[in-house]
Amino acid sequence: MDEKRVLIEKFKDLHPFKESVIKDPFGNEIIDVETINKTAFEKVIEELRIVKDSKKPSILVLQGEPGSGKSHLLARIYRHAETERFLFALYNPLVVKIGATYSSLLKSIFDSFERKHSELKAKPINHIRGKIIRIGLQNYTAQEDPKIQVLLREIRKPKKNLLPAVFYEDFKSFPKRVQDRLRKFIPEEVLKYIKVESNFTIGKKYLKAIIEALIDEEKYPILRDLVNEGSLTDKDAQILNLTSGFVVNEDIAFEIIQAIFLVSPFPILLSIDQIEHFDQHLDEKGIINFLEDLYRLVSNTKNVLLLLSAQTAVFRKWNSFLGEHLKDRFSNVASLEGMKAEEGLEIIKKRNTYYFSKLGISMDDSYFPFDKNEILSKIKEHKLKSPRKVIQLADEILEGKKPEEKNLKSEFENILKSLIYNKDEFEEALGELLVTLLGGVNLYPSGKKLVIQVNNISIGINNSKNYYSTVRKLVSSLKKKGLNRAIFIRDEKMPLRMETKSMELITQNGILIKYYNFEEGKKLMAAQKMLSLTESKDLDFDINEVSNFAKELLIQFLGDLLDTEKFLTRPKRIESFKEKSLEKTDKIVMEIVSKIKSDFALDKINVARLSGYVDKKYSYLIPKIVEKLRMMKTIQIKEQQNGEIFITKKIL
């Protein structure tokens, strides 16, 4: 075999063009051509600068065709976080929980702020901590040792323009006794700051415990448990100085997020990715509710840019049923312009350079082993506008295979190899598979942990320390809902504690326990990931083929716990329920509109808040109510900047 052939084989062994989809925008090995979608990138950065200068929030929709480079663009934006002075948070839940928008967002924000790209100097969470330290010590006047006094002055009035994480590092260099003393002072001062900055709309005392835990390395893991699980054991609640039974509900999650935005040293870019996933799993009502929740969060704070990434067709579909007020709120759009043929060549050149450098080789011909003119011709011939398609083309040429030879199992193995197991993400992945593939129903959609009904069986999934509520819900499913069997699924490394109330209930009610191992967990996570990427058209497979493949893995995982014969075909959704739901919706709208009309006709009022007539659980109906009210000659609608809608009597 000649020298060139040997080199090509070594190059092929690295699989340089196998990955055409970015599965994690936080990853260190993303190869990007920065001229692709440059206009959209600059639009995002411009919006961030406007947020920074004006201290006002903003919303931007990033839309493009499947494979047009949305994920590459998000990864690029993330890498520029420190140079452009902003923090990046990504929200992409596997399970869309109705009525749990803020709890899910809070978890995603903490997860994102813990991630650190190799090009960043510090984790985003440490910049938040640094700002908290600096705010908290502005009015600290107690005398300390001379060395500590010098550092305190540097924190309060730094001589250089330092990244905020430096102040946190300075704080950690203090002796423990000094840190402990300052932690008593800092949270109180930061709480005062939050109250002033929010015009006293937030600032409850529990935030003091949250702030203290953020800057205490011993308490921080317990705070993460609280964010992830929504509640704590009595012992852990006591450690955080929270009342026994404290729960992070939607209102509390909303306030914690607002507080984080307020103490952030930089604007926060909150990216909502894979909107297609919401479109697959929410009806029109759910989508409207979700967007209303997002707008409420953004409009009631500052220092944040909300970025929604969506396929053009999906966002166009949403616009067809959104009310005018929501259309207006989400009307700021940046479109991905696609890729030029020469930029496609640049993708291949950059990947070649990167992977040959791994072999310790610098090539004179940066397109080797490809023929530059031949591959440019193919890009133009097939009119490729997508970076993903160019990467797939290069892989096909390099491996000598045809597009139709793509192998589902090899793609699954590829995803499995790159996946990092996470017990919380496993819970969501399994829940998603049960709902999507076996027609399961989430019995407690606003709950922190999943309890899924599949036919006459309830399945609870909980890997947390505090699992009593899940056990109680499983018992309730047997006694109140009359289900035949209950199953508790849990990581084998976290066995249930004996001689507890939970174990007593499990034994009394015959609840089955299914422990799974690391490999089983990763396989189901990979199956769900592949299904999600196929649904969003990031992977070019037949959705039914992928569903059947994932279903086989799921049934294999569950073993004889389920009657597998019942799940050979995917259950059909019942349309009659939807029709009844629409009838009920129209009735509620007419009742609210009639009440408003009556009050104005009888001269009871001349102006009123619409929220005074609409129960919070019916907030998703506001667009329809407004639409009906606009048709009335005697009433006019006025919408405030914060989203509050007023009804006033029209002077004729």
Side-chain angles (χ1 to χ4, degrees):
M1 194 181 286
D2 65 28
E3 198 174 311
K4 278 192 174 181
R5 189 70 251 167
V6 171
L7 190 55
I8 290 170
E9 289 304 317
K10 285 183 178 179
F11 181 65
K12 283 170 69 175
D13 286 344
L14 297 175
H15 304 294
F17 297 93
K18 195 172 184 67
E19 283 285 352
S20 62
V21 178
I22 288 185
K23 299 180 178 76
D24 178 14
F26 293 101
N28 286 323
E29 293 193 348
I30 295 170
I31 301 161
D32 184 31
V33 175
E34 298 209 353
T35 57
I36 299 175
N37 294 315
K38 187 180 179 184
T39 305
F41 172 76
E42 289 172 347
K43 172 70 172 171
V44 174
I45 298 302
E46 180 193 350
E47 287 290 327
L48 278 164
R49 288 170 181 165
I50 291 169
V51 168
K52 185 178 180 180
D53 294 340
S54 68
K55 302 294 183 188
K56 291 180 181 177
S58 183
I59 298 173
L60 180 64
V61 176
L62 188 66
Q63 65 179 21
E65 298 307 316
S68 57
K70 292 192 299 297
S71 298
H72 271 89
L73 184 55
L74 284 179
R76 187 189 310 163
I77 291 164
Y78 169 59
R79 291 196 305 276
H80 282 74
E82 281 184 351
T83 54
E84 290 294 336
R85 296 294 193 263
F86 68 88
L87 304 183
F88 183 91
L90 180 67
Y91 178 54
N92 182 11
L94 296 178
V95 176
V96 180
K97 295 180 182 177
I98 298 166
T101 302
Y102 302 130
S103 304
S104 300
L105 273 173
L106 180 64
K107 181 180 180 301
S108 293
I109 287 168
F110 269 87
D111 288 344
S112 297
F113 285 177
E114 280 291 330
R115 303 289 298 273
K116 180 186 173 295
H117 191 278
S118 58
E119 291 183 24
L120 303 184
K121 292 179 180 175
K123 290 180 180 179
I125 192 69
N126 287 346
H127 292 311
I128 298 278
R129 287 165 170 156
K131 181 66 182 291
I132 286 171
I133 300 293
R134 196 165 178 218
I135 293 168
L137 293 177
Q138 285 302 306
N139 298 318
Y140 186 73
T141 55
Q143 287 299 306
E144 300 287 351
D145 294 340
K147 286 183 180 179
I148 294 170
Q149 283 294 128
V150 170
L151 282 175
L152 285 171
R153 276 197 300 272
E154 275 298 304
I155 290 171
R156 285 195 294 262
K157 294 181 180 178
K159 293 174 184 176
K160 298 178 184 176
N161 188 16
L162 301 170
L163 285 169
V166 173
F167 307 131
Y168 178 58
E169 293 303 319
D170 287 344
F171 176 78
K172 286 199 299 180
S173 71
F174 294 157
K176 188 177 183 305
R177 59 181 172 77
V178 177
Q179 286 187 47
D180 290 343
R181 185 163 63 247
L182 293 176
R183 280 197 201 97
K184 299 274 188 267
F185 182 83
I186 290 169
E188 195 69 60
E189 292 298 302
V190 175
L191 194 62
K192 290 177 188 173
Y193 174 88
I194 288 170
K195 286 178 178 178
V196 171
E197 287 294 305
S198 68
N199 295 320
F200 293 85
T201 56
I202 63 170
K204 292 177 184 171
K205 285 200 170 180
Y206 72 81
L207 279 174
K208 184 178 168 185
I210 304 293
I211 294 160
E212 186 178 346
L214 271 168
I215 57 172
D216 189 326
E217 289 184 336
E218 291 178 7
K219 291 183 178 181
Y220 184 68
I222 301 174
L223 174 60
R224 288 302 310 270
D225 285 344
L226 177 64
V227 168
N228 290 339
E229 298 165 20
S231 61
L232 294 171
T233 62
D234 289 347
K235 181 183 175 183
D236 283 346
Q238 191 175 3
I239 292 171
L240 288 194
N241 295 319
L242 292 168
T243 56
S244 178
F246 180 82
V247 174
V248 177
N249 57 28
E250 280 293 272
D251 289 338
I252 287 174
F254 182 84
E255 286 207 354
I256 295 173
I257 294 170
Q258 278 190 293
I260 289 170
F261 288 171
L262 287 170
V263 300
S264 173
F266 308 128
I268 291 174
L269 189 150
L270 179 56
S271 174
I272 315 293
D273 196 20
Q274 296 285 348
I275 288 292
E276 300 78 29
H277 191 68
F278 293 87
D279 189 60
Q280 290 278 342
H281 299 283
L282 292 178
D283 57 12
E284 290 182 10
K285 177 181 84 172
I287 289 165
I288 290 168
N289 261 343
F290 176 65
L291 293 179
E292 289 280 13
D293 283 345
L294 290 179
Y295 182 73
R296 177 177 172 243
L297 177 66
V298 172
S299 63
N300 281 282
T301 187
K302 51 188 177 181
N303 218 26
V304 61
L305 171 63
L306 176 66
L307 182 68
L308 276 78
S309 301
Q311 288 178 14
T312 305
V314 171
F315 206 72
R316 192 181 295 132
K317 174 187 166 186
W318 286 15
N319 267 321
S320 71
F321 59 77
L322 294 181
E324 289 302 319
H325 71 298
L326 271 180
K327 282 183 187 176
D328 183 58
R329 292 165 181 174
F330 294 90
S331 61
N332 189 13
V333 176
S335 295
L336 294 142
E337 59 267 33
M339 178 200 75
K340 297 171 187 168
E342 290 73 17
E343 289 173 330
L345 268 183
E346 190 65 21
I347 290 171
I348 291 170
K349 181 180 172 181
K350 276 204 161 189
R351 286 203 170 218
N352 280 2
T353 303
Y354 176 78
Y355 283 99
F356 273 119
S357 70
K358 282 194 162 192
L359 296 171
I361 298 169
S362 177
M363 300 296 296
D364 293 333
D365 178 3
S366 51
Y367 296 99
F368 179 84
F370 303 98
D371 181 287
K372 176 183 175 182
N373 294 325
E374 181 188 343
I375 206 159
L376 180 60
S377 174
K378 283 183 180 289
I379 292 170
K380 289 179 177 178
E381 178 191 342
H382 297 295
K383 297 178 181 177
L384 300 183
K385 296 287 184 184
S386 158
R388 184 186 308 153
K389 294 293 183 186
V390 169
I391 294 167
Q392 289 170 352
L393 172 67
D395 191 48
E396 288 156 14
I397 294 171
L398 186 65
E399 300 293 337
K401 60 185 179 182
K402 295 177 183 178
E404 59 266 21
E405 291 177 352
K406 287 177 186 173
N407 188 295
L408 190 149
K409 286 187 179 178
S410 65
E411 181 62 39
F412 172 76
E413 290 298 328
N414 188 31
I415 293 172
L416 185 64
K417 189 189 291 186
S418 63
L419 201 73
I420 298 171
Y421 171 76
N422 176 289
K423 63 184 178 68
D424 296 318
E425 288 177 13
F426 166 81
E427 291 178 16
E428 296 201 340
L430 177 55
E432 174 72 359
L433 291 173
L434 290 169
V435 170
T436 306
L437 302 177
L438 302 185
V441 177
N442 189 0
L443 295 176
Y444 302 91
S446 60
K448 299 290 178 186
K449 297 296 177 179
L450 298 169
V451 178
I452 310 286
Q453 179 182 341
V454 179
N455 284 359
N456 286 320
I457 298 170
S458 60
I459 301 172
I461 316 158
N462 192 329
N463 282 321
S464 69
K465 290 188 287 184
N466 191 9
Y467 49 81
Y468 180 62
S469 63
T470 298
V471 174
R472 283 185 61 187
K473 287 170 183 175
L474 287 172
V475 172
S476 176
S477 72
L478 294 171
K479 293 187 174 179
K480 294 183 181 178
K481 295 185 181 293
L483 302 186
N484 295 340
R485 188 186 299 177
I487 304 166
F488 194 137
I489 295 178
R490 192 167 172 84
D491 190 320
E492 67 178 4
K493 291 185 178 177
M494 303 186 70
L496 300 174
R497 298 184 295 275
M498 305 304 289
E499 298 180 7
T500 59
K501 285 182 182 178
S502 296
M503 190 54 78
E504 189 179 327
L505 285 174
I506 286 169
T507 306
Q508 286 173 354
N509 293 277
I511 296 172
L512 302 175
I513 302 171
K514 156 76 177 173
Y515 289 114
Y516 67 90
N517 60 39
F518 169 80
E519 289 300 327
E520 289 176 311
K522 270 191 75 173
K523 277 186 179 179
L524 287 191
M525 287 174 66
Q528 193 286 324
K529 186 77 174 174
M530 188 163 68
L531 190 62
S532 179
L533 289 169
T534 306
E535 283 180 342
S536 63
K537 296 184 174 61
D538 286 312
L539 286 179
D540 192 16
F541 289 116
D542 179 78
I543 187 65
N544 292 321
E545 189 183 349
V546 176
S547 295
N548 289 333
F549 176 80
K551 190 186 291 186
E552 283 179 22
L553 288 173
L554 177 59
I555 290 173
Q556 184 183 333
F557 171 83
L558 294 169
D560 58 1
L561 294 172
L562 295 180
D563 181 0
T564 55
E565 292 296 318
K566 293 179 181 178
F567 305 114
L568 293 176
T569 57
R570 188 170 175 174
K572 292 180 181 177
R573 299 190 181 276
I574 301 168
E575 291 301 322
S576 59
F577 173 78
K578 205 170 188 179
E579 288 164 12
K580 286 179 184 176
S581 179
L582 286 171
E583 286 174 17
K584 185 182 175 185
T585 293
D586 290 340
K587 186 181 176 185
I588 294 165
V589 169
M590 291 314 299
E591 285 175 358
I592 293 170
V593 170
S594 297
K595 172 65 176 164
I596 294 170
K597 186 178 178 181
S598 170
D599 285 354
F600 275 81
L602 295 170
D603 287 329
K604 286 184 179 179
I605 49 173
N606 291 319
V607 62
R609 282 186 171 89
L610 182 57
S611 57
Y613 285 92
V614 184
D615 191 287
K616 191 176 178 182
K617 65 183 177 183
Y618 297 133
S619 61
Y620 67 92
L621 295 177
I622 286 176
K624 290 190 176 183
I625 295 166
V626 169
E627 192 179 325
K628 296 284 183 187
L629 291 173
R630 287 191 194 280
M631 295 165 67
M632 296 169 63
K633 293 180 180 179
T634 56
I635 287 175
Q636 61 182 3
I637 304 296
K638 291 187 177 180
E639 186 176 350
Q640 304 297 306
Q641 265 194 323
N642 65 357
E644 184 74 80
I645 296 173
F646 282 85
I647 321 157
T648 62
K649 195 167 186 176
K650 195 180 284 184
I651 301 170
L652 300 173

